[in-house]
Amino acid sequence: YLDQPWIPYEHVLQNVTFAVTMSELPGLIRELSRKSDAQIEEMEDQIERLGERLFTFEGALNEIQMFMTDPSLSALRCGKLPTTSRFFGPDDNPIGRNHKCGT
């Protein structure tokens, strides 16, 4: 998809993940270079804490189970599908045509 970034668990990882275009990359590098060592260490610690929960097979299955039984407990969120992709236009995508989640 070219019209929006795809970042898993975006709302949980918003302070430790970054999605920029190539033209925005210099600004991100400047922003990160202004962070103190303590701030970078805190970001790294947060990633490490969330890694087991979100990015292991068992953790991902647990998140899916929570999402299916009580979504308020899960880090997963249902979002709006992009309107375009490299392969489909908005009228060609069989999933996107009737997708209601996140709208």
Side-chain angles (χ1 to χ4, degrees):
Y1 294 99
L2 303 174
D3 56 347
Q4 68 185 54
W6 185 86
I7 300 172
Y9 310 110
E10 183 175 16
H11 66 286
V12 175
L13 300 174
Q14 64 188 347
N15 296 322
V16 294
T17 58
F18 307 94
V20 296
T21 63
M22 290 302 291
S23 64
E24 296 168 326
L25 186 57
L28 175 61
I29 292 169
R30 280 191 299 277
E31 178 185 335
L32 292 173
S33 69
R34 287 193 285 264
K35 292 192 178 295
S36 69
D37 288 347
Q39 289 172 308
I40 297 294
E41 286 177 20
E42 175 55 35
M43 291 169 64
E44 291 171 344
D45 290 345
Q46 184 178 357
I47 291 168
E48 191 172 330
R49 286 190 305 271
L50 292 170
E52 181 91 10
R53 174 183 169 200
L54 304 177
F55 296 107
T56 63
F57 184 74
E58 184 177 326
L61 287 180
N62 189 49
E63 288 297 322
I64 292 167
Q65 180 182 12
M66 286 190 295
F67 182 76
M68 300 301 285
T69 57
D70 187 353
S72 68
L73 298 176
S74 176
L76 291 171
R77 295 293 180 265
C78 189
K80 184 177 178 183
L81 282 176
T83 56
T84 61
S85 77
R86 292 183 176 160
F87 307 107
F88 298 113
D91 297 327
D92 300 326
N93 187 338
I95 297 170
R97 244 180 291 163
N98 299 312
H99 187 316
K100 303 284 189 247
C101 187
T103 58

